[in-house]
Amino acid sequence: MRTYLVVIDETPEAKAALHYAAVRAIRLGRTVEIVALIPPQEFVNWAAVEATFEEEAKLRAEAAVAQAAGELVEATGVQPKIVVKRGDPVKMVREAIDESENIAGIMLGAAAEGPPGPLVSHFAGTVAGQLPCPVIVVPGALSFEELERLG
């Protein structure tokens, strides 16, 4: 079954992208895969401190994806596949794309104000013409109702 890949964090624009992906999935008979990213930690001289930072980042990412998945199921009934990846965000999203032949599109949320984030800049700009699927940039300023009308 074809799948929409959504990168999730604690931001409102990520929730908008996830909601839009769910609306599209319902209407087109597709599924949703949520990818939570754990960025690499900056080097710390003390291994125990670095391990604590990494564990805290992992727990934050898992909590964000669990909350997002719960909200998604409650609002739309769509049961997402959940993946947690650690490393450079651009490389981890590319890896998620390459690992599946069923990706129908990448849903990325754009902040309501300010410049686009690194994932939107990269995937909707630098490599957009080389991807095996469309990139859908979801405006973070749209309400869930507006996203449902558009979906």
Side-chain angles (χ1 to χ4, degrees):
M1 181 176 282
R2 304 294 288 166
T3 301
Y4 288 118
L5 180 72
V6 183
V7 179
I8 195 75
D9 56 22
E10 297 108 0
T11 62
E13 59 267 22
K15 290 179 182 180
L18 182 59
H19 191 82
Y20 185 69
V23 169
R24 298 295 300 159
I26 290 168
R27 293 204 175 137
L28 297 172
R30 295 182 173 169
T31 61
V32 175
E33 179 175 327
I34 299 174
V35 177
L37 301 174
I38 303 170
Q41 300 300 307
E42 293 190 28
F43 178 74
V44 178
N45 285 331
W46 301 287
V49 173
E50 186 173 0
T52 300
F53 286 159
E54 285 186 8
E55 184 62 23
E56 287 174 359
K58 179 182 178 208
L59 292 174
R60 274 194 313 277
E62 289 174 348
V65 78
Q67 179 183 0
E71 290 172 1
L72 181 70
V73 170
E74 185 178 317
T76 65
V78 172
Q79 183 67 45
K81 175 183 174 187
I82 298 171
V83 177
V84 178
K85 291 185 169 286
R86 180 187 311 268
D88 175 74
V90 168
K91 289 180 182 175
M92 294 300 97
V93 171
R94 186 59 204 223
E95 184 178 285
I97 294 166
D98 292 342
E99 287 174 350
S100 176
E101 296 176 4
N102 295 322
I103 301 295
I106 308 164
M107 300 277 184
L108 298 173
E113 295 181 9
L119 292 177
V120 171
S121 295
H122 181 78
F123 289 104
T126 308
V127 300
Q130 303 164 8
L131 293 171
C133 61
V135 175
I136 299 115
V137 179
V138 179
L142 295 177
S143 69
F144 283 1
E145 293 78 21
E146 291 169 315
L147 292 169
E148 287 174 10
R149 277 197 312 272
L150 292 170

